[in-house]
Amino acid sequence: MTPVYFRIKDLVSEYQKQYPNTTYEEIAPKIKVRELNETFRAMIRPGAKDESVRNMVFVPIPESVEKAKECSRNYKLGEMILTK
């Protein structure tokens, strides 16, 4: 599983939770930056051979999760809502 964060501060926060007795610099993973649109294209392209997207898991921004919970409609977590 490869977690994909939308903000670096969320990545750092998660690492601090998992490794509370170390500094982020001591355990920092190699961070790769990737264009979101290209990532989606690689995921849905028929016959795509980009193995790097196979095990990606998107980690939502905590504030977005809270706002989704407050929303009056019952949206599923991760559901994309499009408006005109």
Side-chain angles (χ1 to χ4, degrees):
M1 178 174 73
T2 305
V4 177
Y5 293 87
F6 293 94
R7 301 183 305 193
I8 290 178
K9 75 177 193 175
D10 296 330
L11 168 68
V12 172
S13 174
E14 183 60 33
Y15 263 78
Q16 288 172 339
K17 286 180 197 171
Q18 290 185 26
Y19 305 99
N21 297 324
T22 59
T23 65
Y24 176 73
E25 290 76 18
E26 292 174 325
I27 58 166
K30 274 190 166 178
I31 296 174
K32 296 179 183 176
V33 178
R34 188 174 179 147
E35 178 65 38
L36 188 59
N37 289 336
E38 290 301 318
T39 302
F40 287 149
R41 284 189 193 108
M43 291 175 145
I44 64 171
R45 187 174 296 125
K49 295 182 175 30
D50 187 348
E51 294 293 320
S52 67
V53 298
R54 183 174 302 273
N55 296 318
M56 283 186 175
V57 175
F58 292 97
V59 180
I61 297 171
E63 293 87 2
S64 296
V65 173
E66 291 305 314
K67 288 188 183 214
K69 288 177 183 177
E70 293 172 6
C71 194
S72 61
R73 293 187 179 180
N74 292 325
Y75 296 111
K76 296 176 188 170
L77 187 60
E79 183 176 22
M80 188 178 290
I81 303 165
L82 302 174
T83 59
K84 291 183 179 184

